[in-house]
Amino acid sequence: MAIVVDLDRRLAERRLSVGEFAAAVGITPANLAVLKNGRAKAIRFTTLDAICRTLDCQPADILRWVPDGAPDADS
């Protein structure tokens, strides 16, 4: 699947640690790592809502589609 999660950039912009962000969103740091590293198979809308509320962003600010085989599809 070629959905890329760009949370690292947003966390750096907000100067939030993974632990602080996970606590604010209400998920474990381990589950956040799975999401950040692109290993998640799905995300609940409630989790996406909490992420967007915490980062004051839109889903498209953290999720993007990259065609299979494109250079940054594995990013």
Side-chain angles (χ1 to χ4, degrees):
M1 184 181 292
I3 300 295
V4 178
V5 181
D6 289 323
L7 277 175
D8 286 328
R9 181 173 44 91
R10 287 286 176 170
L11 292 179
E13 288 172 358
R14 302 269 189 225
R15 294 190 171 106
L16 284 172
S17 72
V18 171
E20 292 171 322
F21 182 65
V25 171
I27 62 175
T28 66
N31 283 340
L32 180 57
V34 167
L35 182 59
K36 282 181 18 152
N37 295 325
R39 295 188 317 260
K41 299 288 184 201
I43 184 171
R44 293 176 187 260
F45 281 138
T46 54
T47 302
L48 185 58
D49 174 63
I51 289 170
C52 290
R53 196 173 346 98
T54 301
L55 295 176
D56 190 29
C57 69
Q58 294 293 314
D61 295 331
I62 56 170
L63 300 173
R64 61 189 164 93
W65 176 78
V66 178
D68 288 334
D72 64 345
D74 296 327
S75 299

